Structures are given as structure tokens and as C-alpha cells.
Amino acid sequence: MKKLLLTLLFTFTLSSWHANAQLTEDFENGLGNWTQEYVSAAVDWSTAAGNANGSVPGSNSGSLNASFVANNYSGNSTRLVTPTLDLSAGASYDLSFYHTQVDWSGDLDVLTIYYKTSAAGAWVELVNYPSAVYSWTQRTITLPNISGDYYIAFQGTGDWGRGVTLDDVAVSL
């Protein structure tokens, strides 16, 4: 009886968490229905196991993560954009994710996060990470100006670092 009760409790808890999640992405199946917007040149986000030189040897969880590597000093930038998110059901949502960005002798790629409240809306900067991050680090950001047509963009900007990596992205109440 205890086993059955614990199993039911665990199942209810897990289903309640997923019911509150508007987005969960571990990149195990590629970039899925995310889109890419080129800001400067055409350098794509892709999936990988870790970063460009292996100094981050694997993903935060599973075997793949998202990765942006430009391999130049040209400042190439591309936004990895979530599918449309309907955030109208709650008063407040958090974006959480893990990321790394390792420098190469002082050269560093940069991650900037943007949001917009409609498909035709303008991107608004949420946060910028201009410092090296040598191991998987979780970030949590409370999203502003929520709407029923919401988008989040992870912009990688290359400056000959070891790449920007993302894993385990979630948007939840």
C-alpha cells in the first residue's frame, strides 16, 4: 500500500510540474522547432556534446546541448528563438537554463538573452553574460511583460572563444 501511495504521489507531483511548464528543452532531439535569426553573418547554432574544444566535455544532462561557435573575430551573432509561448495563464514565469562560455586566451564569445511580446514586436534585452563561465551554471530569470504570444532569444556573439553552450532550458510558473 505504501508503494502504491508513493508512486501515485510521485506521478501527481511530476505531472503537476509538467503542467506548469510552458517549455522544456534538453536538445537531445536537435534544435527542434526553434528558429534562428541571423543578426550579423550566417553562423548557425547547432547541437554538440560540450563546447568547441572539449574543455566542457559534455552536456549538462543527456548527451547533447545547443552550441554557438563562430571561430572568428567578426562579431558574428545569431539568435536561437523559442517557439511561440502562451504565457497568459500565469501572473509570473521564470526562464531557467544552464550555460557555459569558455574563453580562449582572453577571447570570449558572449550570450545575450532577449524577449518580445509578439511575433512582430521588437526584441528587448533581458540580460547579457560578458564573463567566462567554465562549467555548467544554472541561470534563472523572471520574465517581464508576459503575454499570450511570447518569444525568448538566446543570442550568441562570436569573438573567437570556445563557444556559447546552452542546455536544459525551461519556462515555468
Side-chain angles (χ1 to χ4, degrees):
M1 184 66 168
K2 278 185 180 178
K3 271 187 166 178
L4 177 61
L5 185 57
L6 285 173
T7 301
L8 289 173
L9 181 62
F10 176 75
T11 303
F12 175 75
T13 302
L14 186 60
S15 65
S16 295
W17 179 80
H18 281 292
N20 292 328
Q22 295 300 309
L23 173 72
T24 57
E25 181 62 69
D26 61 9
F27 302 106
E28 293 303 306
N29 294 311
L31 299 177
N33 54 357
W34 292 56
T35 57
Q36 300 196 47
E37 293 182 5
Y38 302 120
V39 178
S40 170
V43 177
D44 286 330
W45 281 83
S46 61
T47 55
N51 70 344
N53 75 329
S55 58
V56 176
S59 63
N60 182 63
S61 69
S63 58
L64 294 174
N65 52 264
S67 177
F68 178 83
V69 181
N71 286 331
N72 62 49
Y73 290 114
S74 301
N76 300 137
S77 289
T78 301
R79 292 183 181 132
L80 182 63
V81 182
T82 64
T84 304
L85 301 170
D86 181 355
L87 305 183
S88 61
S92 179
Y93 285 85
D94 287 334
L95 164 66
S96 66
F97 62 95
Y98 287 82
H99 111 274
T100 71
Q101 56 191 42
V102 176
D103 72 323
W104 184 2
S105 298
D107 297 328
L108 182 65
D109 302 326
V110 174
L111 174 65
T112 306
I113 312 235
Y114 294 87
Y115 78 95
K116 62 182 179 178
T117 58
S118 69
W123 288 111
V124 177
E125 184 175 325
L126 271 172
V127 66
N128 177 279
Y129 297 100
S131 301
V133 181
Y134 296 101
S135 61
W136 287 108
T137 301
Q138 185 176 28
R139 310 292 190 180
T140 302
I141 303 164
T142 298
L143 297 172
N145 304 316
I146 59 174
S147 71
D149 187 26
Y150 203 89
Y151 301 84
I152 300 167
F154 295 86
Q155 181 174 311
T157 302
D159 194 18
W160 208 268
R162 301 295 188 184
V164 174
T165 57
L166 298 174
D167 206 3
D168 300 320
V169 177
V171 174
S172 57
L173 287 169

